[in-house]
Structures are given as structure tokens and as C-alpha cells.
């Protein structure tokens, strides 16, 4: 299939959004444009993830459309695209930080005027103040009018400008509610002060609501400011990841070591790293030995030894040795860059539960305005209440109904949840996987590389006759040293750990599928299967019983013969990871059914399964059939999470409701999975499901609080039992409580 190179995907900041209705409007505006395939707006991060066809539309056209809808799509200048932060010295403020500082400035200005206005409004109602004051009541009301005008024109301008632009398109959002509410209170009071005869008001002082209008603006700005500050902290995971990479790198070019900006490092550059320094970019060690702290990437607490041929990851910390390495991935190709992209995509995606909030938000504001109008009409026309009192109830309904909390309920929890996962080595590709994981009933674990280490290792050494273990390993290592077979390499590696070094071998010969033979110190050595022993006439009766017992334990037996006499048997197996047994127990404790799937024989599979405590085993499965078995489990009504690491696991990972790729696995497996573990510990599977449960619980709590404020507050306001200022405070508190509840996720222990 041909790749369409006109399709572009970008994530851009959107300014001016204040509630779930804003999100719905921006998305609707963008999706109506021909060429836009995806437009997902995240209220928590204030960004939109866009995928569009550049042959049909452009960023300029999208920016214009969003601007006409009443919002601002922030597009970086061409020169900034692809710019590396390392060149910039101190990082520029994020869009969220800029928004917070702007809100803080507007709030302080409003507060500095609102406090005197409130004080003057209250004290002017007392007899002693009017007796002592040199000003007349009309003069005081005029001062209040001027002060309120200043607050609404400067700090409140954002509400009126946004509601006007949106109103021109026949739409409404939270800004509309604030603008109508505070504007009505202000205009009514202004008419009373400037044209008292027009309303035939006998006592103008009893119809002054300047303090109400400025207090509402100030309280809403306070809520927005606290909300913006809280939302800044939800992005800490990405900020920490971005801060991992050093700004400079030591590169060897032309025989000289140069210090260059990280963005100038090229593929195949040779870099040097000294103790205590960070690894600049991904690469392969060419010389030197060291230990590297990879905890920020993999979650593993122990430093990892590195020598020639080992991979290193940019941003990790070189502990105690100097190394030289070759750059293999730079810029957006590095592990950190891809993790950041993955986390950003997950935070910008939407869980199915958010559809409910978005659907409600789309009709919420018009319904609220309708309720507010009916409240005013009911009290003024039917209830016979005074115009001013009816208006106050009208304002209270508008203010309490602002749907900020509704818009924040889902995205803030997803942002914190995915950020927490990233900091613990659990990368969540999208919100759908995060939501589905908590519904898991069955976990299917691939054996090789998931439950086991994925590579053979010597588990038993059985010398026969006068042969001792050291001698047996010496012969085995020497004869196997020239073989490239994985079992041979495992034997050599184990022998070296036991102090045995390979010796010189003559007349080496390898028989495919059987084993190897050769001469060592004048002795004929054979190492391999029972069939090889029989071919060379080796009497292996004593070893057959041992080999049979080892086979029942899921191990492979390698016979070693010296001068046609059986010298011993080595056992190799794909060893179980130290954490697997406890991880399986943890999954069972969560009420999950654990199933192991493997292409191995049932005998070997059952031996592994019994060791780790798995009851259900699916063995002898061809790679292409793993997905079929996952599908069969789903047909039983199970919600299946599949964990695997190989290319052959990719179809099953994609078929499962949630696919989890082990960090030690292939890129193909990671691409097919919704969740990737940066480490190979099975505990990460249970942790991912636990994180999902906690995140969804937080979303449900957030939605409860978002709805409960409106369910209780709107009727109270409609029946005249809620003052507009209290309504503004409650509305602000609802948003802050939702964000604060989401931030509690950071305390989750996994």
C-alpha cells in the first residue's frame, strides 16, 4: 500500500478554552474542514492533536477557522519546527505557564480593586459611615461604578471578548455564562447610577450590584488561576523526560574531542562519556566499561553493566567508568523522544467514558441559559418578585452552572495517570488501553521472554565417573567455544562464571542438529544430543535416566563424552525470571485468570507453569495461531490482556483487548501493543492494570463531583437560595477539587 505523504500530524496549543463546551466547539469547528481526519482536543493540556491532508487544507486555514470560532490555535514559526531545546539555553515557558502567569496578573489586579469595592459597598450601608463620610451616596455609587468598570474592562475582558466572538456564530460556552451574569449585574447597576429616573428606582443604593459583578469575576479568575497551576503539574512527567537529555555532547571528530549542542550530534558520530555525565543520545559502546543508571527509563533500580557492544540510552547516567560509543539514534529517533511522543499522544487521546461528558457539554450551555431565563421569568412574571431580585436569581443560575469541572474530569486524570505510568516505566499508548485494562478478566502470558528470560542458561551440571564439575565444564566450554549455537554460547558463558576458560581445539566439526566434536589435548571430545552419542558409540545408559528427569522439568540435556566414554550431562533451560512467580501470585490476588501460551511442548510448558503457579496452559501453538487462541478466550466473554515480547506475539497483542509489550521485546511487538513496559519485569503487567483501575476510579469520582455541583447548585439558584457570589465560589471550587483529586493519583503505589 502506498504511503500518503500529504498526511500531516501535529499537536498544537489552543488558547481561550475554558470548559468542556469549548472543547466540543473547537473539535466541531476543525472536523468540519475538508481534509481534517482527526481533531482531538485535550482540555487538561490545552492542546489539539490534528491529523490532516495538506493537499486539501493548511495550518493557516485551520488557524483562521479556530480564530473565527473564538479561540486561538498557536502555530510555531517555521524556523522553530524541529528546533532542539538544547540550543535555546534556558527552556521557554510552556503555553500552560504563560496562561497561568497571565491569569495571576489579572487576578491580582481584580483583587486589588474588588477588596476596596466590597468594603465600601458594605460600610456605605451603615449609618455611622454616611454620617462621617464627606461623600454623598451618589458619589460613592459613582466610585463603585468606575471601579467595577475598571475590573470588568481589564480582568473581565477575556470573558466578554470570547463570548462576543462565539456569539457571532450563534454559539455559547462558559464565557457566555460569566459574561451574561456579570454583565447583567453591572449594566443594571450602571443604569441605576447614571439614569435613576429610567428605572424609577426610589432607593438606588438597594439596587447596586457592582460588588457582585467584580467579586464573581475575581472568584472565577481565582478558580482559573488555581486550575491552571494544578494543570501545570499534571505535565511534570513529560517535563522531567524532556529534562533528562544533557544540552551538550563530547564528540570525537577529526581526531579531536569537541563539545557541541545535542542537536548537532549526527548518526555514526563517536561520543565520549565520563563518570557522572549523562549519555547524550542512544548508541552502541565501542570501548570502555562502566555501569549506567537507567532507572528513569526502565524503572530498574540497579545500575546496568556496559561494555563493548552494549546499547546505551540517551539521558541515562554514566556511573563509574569512561566509555566511547557510536551514535545510532539522534533527535526524534531516541528512546526518550519516542517516550515523550507516546506519552503526549496518550494524554491527548480520549477514553470512551469521556464521550458522555463531551455529549453533555455540547448542549449544556444552551440548556443552562434556558433555565436561567425561565428562572427570571418565573420569579418576575409569575412570582411577582422585584426585577432586581429576579435578576440576581438569573445570575446565580448562570454562574453555578459553568461546566469547567465537567471538562476537566476525564483529561486531568488521564494526564496524571499516563504521566505516573511513564515515570514508573509503563508507557500507555492511548486512553482506550488505559480504560480497558481495568476491565481485564484474563491475562495471557507468552512464555519465552515474558515469564522466562528468553535465552538458554545452564541450570544443572552432572559429572559422571571420575570426572568433576570443573573438568566437565572445561571440556564443554572448549568444544562449544567455536560453535555459534545459542546453547553452545550459554555453556561457554556459564563455564566462565564458574572459573573455567575455553582451551585450544583441533579438528573441530559441527554436525547440524546433533552437536560438535573435536580434539583437546589429544582427547576426543563430543558434545551434543543422545543421537550424537550413539553415532560415536558412546555408552550413555547412565545419562539417559538423568536426561529423562531433566526433560520432565522442561530442560534440554547436552551429553559430554571424552574418548568415547560419557563424562557428564549439562542441563539448559530458558530460565524463569526471578520476579515471575510473585507477579503471577499478584495477578491472581487481583482476581485475574492467568493463562500461559507457548509454542513449546506441553511437558516443558507445564513444568514452567507449575513453577510460577499458572493453572491453565496452551502449548504447542504455532506463532500465527496465538491470535486465534486469544480470540477464542474473548469468545468466552473474557476481557483479555496479552503480554508478550516477540514478533510472533504481535498479532495476538493486537487481537487482545489490551496488548502489553515487554521492554526487552521487539519493536514490532511494541508497535502492536497499547501498553509498553520499559523493563522486562512481569510485575509491570499487574501495575499497569492497577494504574488503570485507579485512574478510572478517579475519573468516576471527578465526574461525580462535576455533576453534583450542578445537580445541587442549579435548583438552589433557580429557587433563589444561592447568592451569585457563593455560586461563583462553588463553581471555582468544583474545578479545583476535580484537578486536585486527579493529582492524588501521583500518590498511588504500584
Amino acid at each position: 500500500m502506498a504511503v500518503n505523504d500529504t498526511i500531516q500530524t501535529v499537536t498544537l496549543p489552543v488558547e481561550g478554552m475554558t470548559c468542556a463546551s469549548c472543547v466540543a466547539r473547537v473539535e466541531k469547528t476543525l472536523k468540519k474542514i475538508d481534509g481534517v481526519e482527526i481533531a482531538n482536543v485535550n482540555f487538561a493540556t490545552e492542546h489539539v492533536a490534528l491529523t490532516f491532508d495538506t493537499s486539501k487544507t493548511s495550518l493557516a486555514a485551520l488557524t483562521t477557522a479556530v480564530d473565527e470560532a473564538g479561540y486561538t490555535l498557536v502555530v510555531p514559526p517555521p524556523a522553530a519546527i524541529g528546533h532542539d531545546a538544547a540550543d535555546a539555553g534556558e527552556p521557554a515557558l510552556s503555553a500552560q505557564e504563560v496562561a497561568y502567569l497571565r491569569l495571576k496578573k489579572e487576578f491580582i489586579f481584580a483583587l486589588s480593586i474588588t477588596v476596596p469595592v466590597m468594603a465600601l459597598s458594605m460600610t456605605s450601608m451603615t449609618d455611622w459611615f454616611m454620617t462621617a463620610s464627606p461623600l454623598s451616596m451618589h458619589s460613592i455609587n459613582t466610585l463603585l461604578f468606575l471601579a467595577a468598570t475598571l475590573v470588568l474592562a481589564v480582568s473581565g475582558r477575556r470573558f466578554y471578548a470570547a463570548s462576543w466572538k462565539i456569539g457571532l456564530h450563534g454559539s455559547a460556552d462558559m464565557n457566555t455564562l460569566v459574561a451574561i451574569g456579570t454583565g447583567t449585574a453591572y449594566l443594571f447597576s450602571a443604569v441605576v447610577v447614571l439614569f435613576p429616573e429610567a428605572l424609577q428606582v426610589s432607593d438606588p443604593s438597594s439596587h447596586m450590584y457592582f460588588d457582585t459583578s467584580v467579586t464573581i469575576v475575581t472568584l472565577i479568575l481565582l478558580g482559573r488561576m488555581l486550575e491552571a497551576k494544578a494543570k501545570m503539574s499534571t505535565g511534570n512527567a513529560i517535563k522531567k523526560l524532556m529534562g533528562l537529555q544533557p544540552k551538550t555532547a563530547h564528540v570525537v571528530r577529526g581526531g579531536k574531542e569537541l563539545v557541541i549542542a545535542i542537536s548537532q550530534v549526527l548518526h555514526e558520530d563517536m561520543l565520549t562519556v565520563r563518570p557522572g555525565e549523562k549519555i547524550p543520545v542512544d548508541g552502541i559502546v565501542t570501548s570502555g566499561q562502566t555501569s549506567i543508571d537507567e532507572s528513569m527509563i526502565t524503572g530498574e533500580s540497579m545500575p546496568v553493566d556496559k561494555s563493548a557492544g552494549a546499547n546505551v540510552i540517551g539521558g541515562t547516567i554514566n556511573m563509574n567508568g569512561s566509555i566511547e560509543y557510536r551514535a545510532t539514534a539522534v533527535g526524534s529517533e531516541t528512546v526518550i523522544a519516542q517516550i515523550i511522543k507516546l506519552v503526549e499522544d496518550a494524554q491527548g487521546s480520549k477514553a470512551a467514558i469521556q464521550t458522555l461528558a463531551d455529549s453533555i457539554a455540547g448542549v449544556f450551555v444552551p440548556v443552562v441559559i434556558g433555565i436561567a431565563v425561565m428562572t427570571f421569568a418565573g420569579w418576575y412574571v409569575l412570582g411577582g418578585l422585584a426585577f432586581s431580585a429576579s435578576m440576581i436569581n438569573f445570575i446565580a443560575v448562570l454562574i453555578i452552572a459553568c461546566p469547567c469541572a465537567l471538562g476537566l474530569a476525564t483529561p486531568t486524570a488521564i494526564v496524571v495517570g499516563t504521566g505516573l505510568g511513564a515515570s514508573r516505566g509503563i508507557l500507555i499508548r492511548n486512553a482506550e488501553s488505559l480504560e480497558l485494562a481495568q476491565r481485564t478478566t484474563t491475562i495471557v502470558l507468552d512464555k519465552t521472554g515474558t515469564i522466562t528470560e528468553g535465552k538458554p542458561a545452564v541450570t544443572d551440571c552432572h559429572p559422571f565417573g571420575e570426572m568433576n564439575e570443573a573438568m566437565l565444564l572445561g571440556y564443554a566450554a572448549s568444544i562449544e567455544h567455536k560453535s555459534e549455537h545459542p546453547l553452545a554460547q550459554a555453556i561457554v558463558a556459564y563455564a566462565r562464571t564458574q572459573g573455567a576458560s575455553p582451551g585450544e581445539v583441533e579438528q573441530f566439526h559441527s554436525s547440524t542438529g546433533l552437536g560438535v566434536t573435536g580434539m583437546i589435548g589429544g582427547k576426543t571430545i563430543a558434545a551434543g544430543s543422545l543421537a550424537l552419542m550413539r553415532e560415536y558409540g558412546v555408552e550413555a545408559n547412565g545419562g539417559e535416566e538423568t536426561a529423562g528427569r531433566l526433560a520432565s522439568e522442561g530442560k534440554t540435556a547436552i551429553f559430554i563424552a571424552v574418548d568415547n566414554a560419557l563424562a557428564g550431562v549439562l542441563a539448559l533451560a530458558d530460565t524463569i525470571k526471578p520476579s515471575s512467580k510473585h507477579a503471577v501470585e499478584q495477578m491472581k490476588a487481583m482476581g485475574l485468570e492467568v493463562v500461559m501460551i507457548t509454542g513449546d511442548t506441553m511437558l516443558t510448558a507445564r513444568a514452567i507453569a507449575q513453577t510460577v503457579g499458572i493453572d491453565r496452559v496452551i502449548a504447542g501453538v504455532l506463532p500465527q495461531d496465538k491470535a486465534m487462541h486469544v480470540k477464542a478466550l474473548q469468545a468466552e466473554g473474557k476481557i483479555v490482556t496479552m503480554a508478550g515480547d516477540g514478533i510472533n506475539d504481535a498479532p495476538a497483542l493486537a487481537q487482545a483487548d489490551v496488548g502489553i509489550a515487554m521492554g526487552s521485546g521487539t519493536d514490532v511487538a511494541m508497535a502492536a501493543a497499547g501498553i509498553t513496559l520499559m523493563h522486562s519485569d512481569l510485575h509491570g503487567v499487574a501495575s499497569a492494570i492497577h494504574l488503570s483501575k485507579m485512574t478510572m476510579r478517579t475519573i468516576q469520582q471527578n465526574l461525580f463531583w462535576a455533576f453534583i455541583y450542578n445537580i445541587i447548585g442549579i435548583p438552589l439558584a433557580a429557587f433563589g437560595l444561592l447568592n451569585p457570589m457563593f455560586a461563583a465560589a462553588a463553581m471555582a471550587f468544583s474545578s479545583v477539587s476535580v484537578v486536585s483529586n486527579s493529582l492524588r493519583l501521583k500518590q498511588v503505589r504500584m
Side-chain angles (χ1 to χ4, degrees):
M1 182 181 293
V3 177
N4 188 346
D5 56 9
T6 64
I7 300 299
Q8 184 176 355
T9 299
V10 293
T11 300
L12 301 171
V14 180
E15 294 181 351
M17 296 189 300
T18 55
C19 64
S21 297
C22 299
V23 171
R25 175 155 183 77
V26 173
E27 285 186 350
K28 186 177 180 180
T29 298
L30 289 168
K31 287 176 180 177
K32 285 197 306 188
I33 299 173
D34 184 35
V36 174
E37 297 183 359
I38 298 173
N40 282 335
V41 177
N42 188 312
F43 185 34
T45 60
E46 296 178 349
H47 279 67
V48 57
L50 278 168
T51 299
F52 62 97
D53 190 336
T54 55
S55 66
K56 297 179 180 179
T57 188
S58 64
L59 280 177
L62 301 179
T63 303
T64 301
V66 173
D67 182 68
E68 289 176 352
Y71 307 94
T72 303
L73 186 64
V74 182
V75 179
I81 297 174
H83 180 69
D84 197 299
D87 296 335
E90 290 299 317
L93 292 176
S94 67
Q96 288 179 328
E97 289 170 327
V98 171
Y100 167 71
L101 292 174
R102 189 182 300 156
L103 282 164
K104 184 178 180 180
K105 187 183 296 184
E106 292 175 3
F107 167 71
I108 292 173
F109 180 82
L111 183 66
S112 65
I113 298 177
T114 297
V115 171
V117 166
M118 288 292 294
L120 186 59
S121 296
M122 289 187 288
T123 55
S124 65
M125 298 178 186
T126 61
D127 292 336
W128 65 266
F129 179 84
M130 292 311 302
T131 302
S133 173
L135 299 175
S136 65
M137 198 67 225
H138 179 72
S139 298
I140 291 173
N141 288 338
T142 302
L143 281 175
L144 293 175
F145 162 70
L146 294 174
T149 301
L150 201 55
V151 171
L152 269 59
V154 177
S155 298
R157 181 178 179 276
R158 62 168 57 230
F159 305 117
Y160 303 110
S163 63
W164 173 257
K165 291 178 77 172
I166 292 169
L168 291 176
H169 296 274
S171 298
D173 67 357
M174 178 193 161
N175 292 300
T176 308
L177 303 182
V178 176
I180 293 175
T182 58
T184 302
Y186 169 79
L187 289 174
F188 180 80
S189 303
V191 171
V192 171
V193 171
L194 301 176
F195 311 103
E197 66 283 352
L199 297 176
Q200 298 180 348
V201 175
S202 57
D203 181 12
S205 300
S206 63
H207 297 281
M208 292 294 105
Y209 302 107
F210 292 123
D211 55 343
T212 299
S213 61
V214 297
T215 302
I216 289 171
V217 166
T218 303
L219 284 172
I220 291 175
L221 285 173
L222 172 63
R224 292 267 190 95
M225 184 185 72
L226 294 174
E227 179 186 303
K229 187 174 184 180
K231 286 193 324 191
M232 279 196 304
S233 65
T234 64
N236 279 347
I238 288 179
K239 202 167 184 179
K240 285 180 180 177
L241 287 169
M242 287 180 169
L244 278 177
Q245 283 187 307
K247 293 182 174 62
T248 58
H250 297 272
V251 178
V252 179
R253 289 178 181 170
K256 295 181 179 179
E257 184 176 300
L258 308 173
V259 179
I260 63 174
I262 195 78
S263 61
Q264 296 175 357
V265 178
L266 305 174
H267 281 281
E268 304 300 319
D269 266 344
M270 297 302 298
L271 296 91
T272 59
V273 185
R274 297 172 179 82
E277 294 180 344
K278 287 184 177 181
I279 305 296
V281 296
D282 300 357
I284 297 176
V285 178
T286 56
S287 64
Q289 292 184 331
T290 188
S291 295
I292 293 181
D293 179 0
E294 297 183 341
S295 57
M296 278 299 293
I297 300 296
T298 66
E300 299 285 354
S301 58
M302 296 296 293
V304 182
D305 292 336
K306 302 285 183 179
S307 57
N311 292 316
V312 291
I313 303 172
T316 55
I317 301 172
N318 184 27
M319 301 292 287
N320 53 21
S322 294
I323 58 171
E324 186 170 285
Y325 77 97
R326 175 170 51 84
T328 57
V330 298
S332 61
E333 301 169 347
T334 63
V335 169
I336 289 179
Q338 292 185 36
I339 290 173
I340 291 170
K341 180 67 167 62
L342 195 62
V343 174
E344 286 177 335
D345 289 347
Q347 293 183 345
S349 61
K350 292 188 177 184
I353 195 171
Q354 191 169 344
T355 305
L356 172 64
D358 289 347
S359 299
I360 293 173
V363 297
F364 189 80
V365 173
V367 169
V368 168
I369 293 176
I371 293 173
V373 171
M374 287 190 292
T375 297
F376 174 81
W379 282 109
Y380 184 63
V381 178
L382 302 177
L385 199 65
F387 179 87
S388 57
S390 300
M391 182 197 68
I392 287 295
N393 294 339
F394 167 82
I395 294 170
V397 170
L398 293 177
I399 299 303
I400 190 61
C402 290
C404 286
L406 184 62
L408 290 167
T410 299
T412 51
I414 289 174
V415 167
V416 176
T418 53
L420 176 64
S423 69
R424 308 290 174 85
I426 302 170
L427 301 183
I428 300 165
R429 187 178 299 278
N430 51 53
E432 182 182 10
S433 296
L434 183 65
E435 180 177 3
L436 275 173
Q438 55 94 28
R439 295 170 51 200
T440 299
T441 61
T442 301
I443 297 180
V444 176
L445 302 176
D446 172 55
K447 179 184 77 69
T448 307
T450 302
I451 296 175
T452 65
E453 295 288 0
K455 55 186 179 181
V458 175
T459 59
D460 302 76
C461 180
H462 298 283
F464 290 163
E466 297 181 358
M467 186 72 59
N468 60 39
E469 189 170 311
M471 292 171 61
L472 181 65
L473 287 175
Y475 284 126
S478 298
I479 195 66
E480 297 285 14
H481 181 60
K482 287 195 173 185
S483 173
E484 295 180 354
H485 194 282
L487 295 182
Q489 296 303 310
I491 290 172
V492 174
Y494 177 76
R496 281 176 169 158
T497 65
Q498 302 303 306
S501 299
E504 291 296 323
V505 179
E506 298 175 352
Q507 300 177 31
F508 176 81
H509 176 71
S510 175
S511 300
T512 304
L514 295 176
V516 293
T517 58
M519 299 292 293
I520 300 176
K523 296 180 182 293
T524 302
I525 310 297
S529 65
L530 182 60
L532 181 70
M533 298 297 106
R534 288 172 177 168
E535 183 176 308
Y536 279 82
V538 176
E539 185 65 43
N541 290 339
E544 286 188 42
E545 183 180 344
T546 301
R549 177 177 55 80
L550 293 172
S552 68
E553 297 172 3
K555 299 174 182 177
T556 299
I558 300 294
F559 294 85
I560 311 294
V562 178
D563 285 339
N564 295 336
L566 185 64
V569 176
L570 297 180
L572 294 95
D574 182 3
T575 55
I576 297 170
K577 293 177 182 177
S579 60
S580 292
K581 188 175 189 298
H582 183 265
V584 170
E585 291 172 354
Q586 190 177 11
M587 294 173 202
K588 285 184 169 182
M590 296 170 69
L592 301 170
E593 177 190 20
V594 184
V595 179
M596 186 176 83
I597 190 166
T598 178
D600 273 349
T601 63
M602 183 59 78
L603 185 66
T604 301
R606 285 207 179 280
I608 298 291
Q610 286 176 358
T611 304
V612 298
I614 295 176
D615 301 319
R616 186 170 179 179
V617 179
I618 303 174
V621 180
L622 294 173
Q624 62 268 28
D625 292 337
K626 286 185 178 181
M628 180 187 70
H629 285 281
V630 169
K631 195 171 184 178
L633 289 169
Q634 291 170 323
E636 296 175 20
K638 303 177 188 297
I639 304 297
V640 179
T641 289
M642 163 81 182
D645 74 324
I647 293 175
N648 61 339
D649 296 323
L653 291 171
Q655 173 62 44
D657 296 284
V658 179
I660 298 181
M662 307 301 287
S664 58
T666 63
D667 292 341
V668 175
M670 293 181 188
I675 298 173
T676 297
L677 305 181
M678 289 306 294
H679 45 77
S680 58
D681 191 334
L682 257 187
H683 282 110
V685 176
S687 294
I689 293 172
H690 179 61
L691 175 62
S692 171
K693 288 179 182 290
M694 296 306 297
T695 303
M696 294 310 299
R697 183 183 300 174
T698 300
I699 290 174
Q700 290 159 1
Q701 291 169 347
N702 287 350
L703 289 173
F704 169 79
W705 285 113
F707 283 118
I708 203 69
Y709 277 97
N710 291 326
I711 290 171
I712 295 174
I714 291 176
L716 287 176
F719 285 106
L721 302 174
L722 190 65
N723 182 281
M725 286 185 282
F726 287 113
M731 184 276 295
F733 183 73
S734 69
S735 296
V736 174
S737 64
V738 162
V739 177
S740 300
N741 188 50
S742 295
L743 291 172
R744 286 176 57 243
L745 268 173
K746 290 186 174 183
Q747 309 305 318
V748 170
R749 298 182 66 179
M750 295 190 296

